[in-house]
């Protein structure tokens, strides 16, 4: 599995939040739900994404915004429109004064807003639980990535919109899988662009790309730069220099980051013991993994595993909570 395949395997929605917002101007939604990852699709009209401390970003019809949390942001018809609604953790929504809006703005099955025929229609898919998106993916992404509609398969967008309006048994599972597909398609499109992380484009290099795959496919091996260079048919100095130039860090530093990122995902995504995970990612003992993990993340593997929020008892299907 290469790094991109590993990252795209990361989104695994479980009871994800999917909602259609139907709005007439002026409108503005302040999002402070602290969700790790959100996908916003403008299916009608336009919107403006207003990040904290950054310039507004205009989203035309068909645009897809990938937003990495937990920093708050605003989505509005215009940057100057003051927020009418605030979305809190758990998708509880209030006015700026604290009045609940879940019933006031309810427009039916997974639909919410000020007018069912509003000039603007958004579809929002939110991964609310940290463990449903890999730690490595979140670290690879910018705080926001914007795609034009033509960069993502319109059939996926249409299916998600259609299914979001249905209320039949098993619908939550269908929406989870469709959200995963849309997220993966959007991420793949973004990674193919020039502003993707440096290591992604390094795969095209015949020497560094091969070295990356060797490190990622077998992190448990006791790699040295000398052995890696011999395997890919390069000198040690040439590989170290070219790898650092293209990837942004030396081979062993990259391997260390890869090992710890894999460990972080395995801790939250599996029931494997810390000892077993340590061996899988190239640490001889649970103690050595724990020491490296704490240096990198500031917490122990056990605390990292326990910090994952529990899965929801039931999916948020009916609307924005109150």
């Amino acid at each position: 599995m290469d790094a991109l395949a590993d990252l795209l395997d990361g989104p695994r929605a479980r009871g994800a939040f999917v909602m259609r917002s139907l709005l007439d101007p002026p409108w503005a939604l302040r999002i402070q739900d602290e969700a790790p990852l959100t996908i916003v699709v403008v299916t009608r009209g336009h919107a403006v994404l207003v990040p904290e401390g950054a310039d507004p970003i205009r989203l035309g019809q068909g645009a897809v915004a990938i937003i990495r949390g937990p920093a708050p942001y605003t989505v509005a018809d215009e940057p100057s429109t003051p927020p009418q609604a605030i979305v809190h953790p758990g998708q509880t929504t209030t006015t700026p004064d604290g009045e609940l809006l879940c019933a006031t703005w309810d427009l039916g099955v997974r639909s919410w807003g000020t007018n069912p025929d509003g000039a603007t229609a958004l579809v929002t898919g939110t991964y609310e639980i940290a463990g449903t998106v890999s730690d490595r993916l979140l670290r690879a992404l910018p705080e926001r990535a914007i795609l034009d509609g033509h960069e993502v398969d319109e059939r996926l967008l249409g299916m998600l919109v259609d299914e979001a309006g249905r209320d039949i048994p098993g619908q939550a599972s269908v929406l989870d899988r469709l959200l995963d597909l849309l997220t993966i398609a959007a991420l793949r499109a973004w990674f193919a662009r020039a502003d993707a992380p440096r290591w992604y484009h390094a795969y095209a290099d015949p020497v560094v790309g091969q070295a990356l795959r060797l490190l990622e496919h077998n992190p448990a091996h006791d790699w040295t730069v000398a052995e890696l260079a011999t395997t890919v048919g390069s000198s040690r100095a040439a590989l170290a220099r070219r790898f650092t130039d293209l990837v942004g860090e030396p081979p062993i530093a990259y391997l260390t980051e890869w090992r710890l990122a894999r460990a972080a995902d395995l801790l939250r995504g599996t029931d494997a013991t810390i000892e077993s995970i340590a061996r899988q990612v190239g640490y001889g003992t649970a103690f050595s993994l724990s020491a490296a993990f704490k240096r990198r993340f500031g917490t122990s593997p056990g605390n990292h595993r326990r910090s994952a929020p529990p899965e929801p008892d039931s999916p948020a299907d009916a609307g924005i909570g109150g």
Side-chain angles (χ1 to χ4, degrees):
M1 178 181 289
D2 62 35
L4 182 58
D6 181 72
L7 290 178
L8 296 184
D9 191 51
R12 298 291 181 88
R14 298 192 298 271
F17 178 81
V18 176
M19 177 62 64
R20 297 182 299 172
S21 299
L22 308 168
L23 304 151
D24 268 335
W27 61 270
L29 311 176
R30 172 72 172 172
I31 313 300
Q32 49 191 52
D33 59 4
E34 301 178 5
L37 190 67
T38 298
I39 307 293
V40 178
V41 183
V42 182
T43 59
R44 184 168 68 239
H46 78 275
V48 178
L49 174 63
V50 187
E52 287 281 282
D55 293 335
I57 304 167
R58 189 173 182 85
L59 307 174
Q61 184 166 318
V64 179
I66 306 170
I67 304 167
R68 174 173 60 81
Y73 57 92
T74 299
V75 183
D77 65 325
E78 297 295 339
S80 59
T81 303
Q84 300 160 299
I86 299 176
V87 180
H88 303 273
Q91 303 304 319
T92 298
T93 307
T94 69
T95 67
D97 294 330
E99 177 186 351
L100 290 174
L101 283 174
C102 53
T104 308
W105 283 22
D106 184 13
L107 295 177
V109 177
R110 299 185 193 86
S111 297
W112 182 83
T114 60
N115 180 357
D117 300 313
T120 298
L122 311 174
V123 174
T124 302
T126 303
Y127 293 82
E128 297 184 272
I129 302 173
T132 56
V133 184
S134 73
D135 290 342
R136 182 170 171 80
L137 172 59
L138 294 176
R139 288 194 298 275
L141 289 173
E143 290 189 355
R144 51 209 158 265
I146 311 301
L147 300 168
D148 294 330
H150 68 271
E151 295 181 84
V152 181
D153 193 329
E154 292 182 358
R155 293 172 297 179
L156 287 175
L157 302 179
M159 289 176 66
L160 184 62
V161 171
D162 291 344
E163 293 293 338
R166 297 183 181 182
D167 189 16
I168 57 179
Q171 196 63 11
S173 295
V174 172
L175 288 171
D176 280 352
R177 300 291 75 78
L178 283 174
L179 177 59
D180 286 344
L181 285 172
L182 175 60
T183 302
I184 289 168
L187 289 170
R188 185 169 61 179
W190 180 76
F191 273 100
R193 290 173 18 170
D195 55 354
R198 293 170 65 181
W199 55 259
Y200 173 72
H201 294 292
Y203 280 102
D205 184 88
V207 173
V208 175
Q210 185 181 356
L212 280 167
R213 291 179 178 91
L214 285 168
L215 296 176
E216 293 160 357
H217 290 178
N218 191 7
H221 185 73
D222 188 18
W223 290 106
T224 64
V225 177
E227 181 185 6
L228 191 62
T230 299
T231 306
V232 301
S234 171
S235 72
R236 182 183 183 281
L239 174 63
R241 180 175 60 254
R242 187 160 184 79
F243 193 104
T244 303
D245 288 344
L246 293 179
V247 179
E249 59 185 338
I252 301 306
Y254 179 86
L255 175 60
T256 299
E257 179 68 16
W258 173 261
R259 285 170 167 169
L260 292 174
R262 292 292 297 147
D265 288 341
L266 289 168
L267 285 163
R268 284 186 167 172
T270 73
D271 294 326
T273 65
I274 296 175
E275 189 76 33
S276 172
I277 291 172
R279 291 194 298 270
Q280 288 184 59
V281 300
Y283 287 89
T285 65
F287 177 81
S288 60
L289 171 61
S290 295
F293 197 93
K294 191 165 186 177
R295 283 196 302 271
R296 174 62 179 83
F297 299 114
T299 189
S300 69
N303 284 338
H304 175 78
R305 171 173 273 172
R306 288 189 291 271
S307 70
E311 295 185 28
D313 294 331
S314 59
D317 281 345
I320 291 183

